[in-house]
Amino acid sequence: PQPDPHDQAALWIGKGQALLNLGNAQDALSCFDKALEAGPQHAADAYVKRGLALERLEKMEDALESYNLAIGADEAMTLAYLYKGAVCNRLQRYREALDCYENALRCEQKLAAH
């Protein structure tokens, strides 16, 4: 039987994370893209990890776009705001960075309230 797309996406994310840990950002990026093709179940996580791979490849604007897509997939994705804020700081976009950190704090406060 065919494995369900949910498992496929998780496997691609796992492989991509392993490659990222080994310093192979380009191949990791391909894995995260395959996870996204497999289905939307892990989209927020895949986009965050994709953003990390793009940062390692010095593609900061692409990384920001990936973090925005993660936030679009899950507005409570605190990590996406944190990583996006860090990239904005590096790009000297301080107002945007501050907004990201404030959004991350709001997400955490909502989680703590539940």
Side-chain angles (χ1 to χ4, degrees), residues 13 32 42-50 70 77 79:
I13 289 171
F32 301 136
H42 300 287
D45 192 32
Y47 280 124
V48 165
K49 291 182 184 307
R50 188 175 182 279
M77 180 60 82
L79 270 182

Side-chain angles (χ1 to χ4, degrees), residues 19-114:
L19 287 163
L20 204 53
N21 293 344
L22 290 168
N24 189 340
Q26 190 63 55
D27 287 344
L29 185 62
S30 296
C31 288
F32 301 136
D33 285 339
K34 286 180 179 160
L36 290 163
E37 289 168 16
Q41 296 87 340
H42 300 287
D45 192 32
Y47 280 124
V48 165
K49 291 182 184 307
R50 188 175 182 279
L52 288 171
L54 288 162
E55 278 189 62
R56 298 229 182 124
L57 294 167
E58 300 293 319
K59 296 180 177 181
M60 297 304 166
E61 292 299 329
D62 292 339
L64 286 176
E65 182 183 329
S66 202
Y67 295 139
N68 284 334
L69 289 167
I71 292 163
D74 179 1
E75 286 184 6
M77 180 60 82
T78 307
L79 270 182
Y81 289 114
L82 291 175
Y83 291 145
K84 181 182 174 187
V87 172
C88 289
N89 268 330
R90 252 187 276 163
L91 297 174
Q92 298 181 351
R93 288 158 54 173
Y94 303 121
R95 169 55 59 192
E96 207 174 329
L98 179 62
D99 290 343
C100 289
Y101 293 123
E102 287 174 348
N103 282 325
L105 286 167
R106 271 194 291 278
C107 287
E108 287 303 299
Q109 288 166 350
K110 282 181 194 170
L111 287 173
H114 289 273

